[in-house]
Amino acid sequence: MTVRTEQKERTRQDILASATRLLRERGIGGASVAEVMKGAGLTVGGFYAHFESKEALVSASLRQSLRELWGGMVAGAGKLRGVEAVSFVVRRYLSRSHRDNPCEGCPLPAVVADVAQAGEPVREALAHELGDYADALAECIADDTAPNRQRALALLALMVGGLSLARALKGTPTSDEILKACRDFARQAFTND
């Protein structure tokens, strides 16, 4: 790889990091190209050397941030299976720390409403990443049974919905109640098999 190619890749990663921070904080609508480039220490003029559109940037940012987040969760669960794996994943995802630090956590609570109005590339990126994680999660949460993608998708929906509501109500007792209720419900759903 040439020095120029390496520099271009570093710049692309800086742009992605800036976009990811803004998406987590403000959603798709609140992450303008100008603000993303400013956060990366660059001018808007250089944007199109790295991405063909804002949709391409959002798609790449979602793919990268979700792979890192969910890959870490599956890896963290290690050899745990069944209800132990579910407990690990929901404890980590539906935690006060994750709720209180959206800039470092899952971008979905901030972007999911915007995705419905986004273009096809963004929806496809999210569908692909959700599908991949559902498959990995299904393997992880299976105990003596075959992996169940439908149950993994239901668990994902519970987690994202619970975190979204908890973040919206941060600072209220109801926020903590939602986190606990979702964790408990998930464990019960996988214990009663």
Side-chain angles (χ1 to χ4, degrees):
M1 196 181 280
T2 66
V3 172
R4 183 178 175 105
T5 306
E6 287 176 11
Q7 178 58 41
K8 185 171 182 174
E9 182 56 30
R10 277 194 303 273
T11 300
R12 180 182 168 81
Q13 290 305 313
D14 289 345
I15 295 168
L16 279 171
S18 176
T20 299
R21 277 190 306 275
L22 288 170
L23 287 174
R24 287 174 172 155
E25 287 176 22
R26 304 179 191 169
I28 295 171
S32 71
V33 170
E35 288 177 323
V36 166
M37 295 302 281
K38 182 179 178 183
L42 302 165
T43 62
V44 175
F47 176 78
Y48 293 100
H50 301 280
F51 297 95
E52 65 184 44
S53 66
K54 181 179 176 182
E55 280 186 343
L57 171 65
V58 170
S59 298
S61 178
L62 283 175
R63 286 181 189 276
Q64 181 174 308
S65 63
L66 291 173
R67 283 179 189 157
E68 289 171 3
L69 173 77
W70 291 335
M73 276 197 223
V74 170
K79 296 188 185 292
L80 297 175
R81 291 293 176 262
V83 72
E84 289 84 15
V86 170
S87 292
F88 173 84
V89 169
V90 297
R91 240 187 356 260
R92 188 165 167 190
Y93 190 90
L94 295 167
S95 67
R96 287 179 180 164
S97 173
H98 193 200
R99 175 199 60 201
D100 296 345
N101 296 294
C103 295
E104 299 168 12
C106 184
L108 292 181
V111 304
V112 75
D114 294 341
V115 169
Q117 282 76 42
E120 193 65 27
V122 175
R123 289 192 304 277
E124 286 177 6
L126 180 56
H128 179 81
E129 293 309 316
L130 283 174
D132 282 357
Y133 185 57
D135 292 340
L137 187 59
E139 289 285 334
C140 186
I141 63 179
D143 43 25
D144 294 335
T145 62
N148 187 321
R149 181 180 164 98
Q150 184 176 1
R151 294 184 79 199
L153 286 168
L155 181 58
L156 279 172
L158 173 74
M159 290 165 43
V160 173
L163 183 63
S164 297
L165 289 171
R167 283 184 180 170
L169 298 173
K170 184 179 166 188
T172 70
T174 305
S175 179
D176 286 337
E177 285 181 85
I178 289 168
L179 292 174
K180 183 178 183 328
C182 289
R183 288 191 307 263
D184 291 348
F185 186 85
R187 280 191 293 268
Q188 285 175 344
F190 285 85
T191 301
N192 294 333
D193 287 344

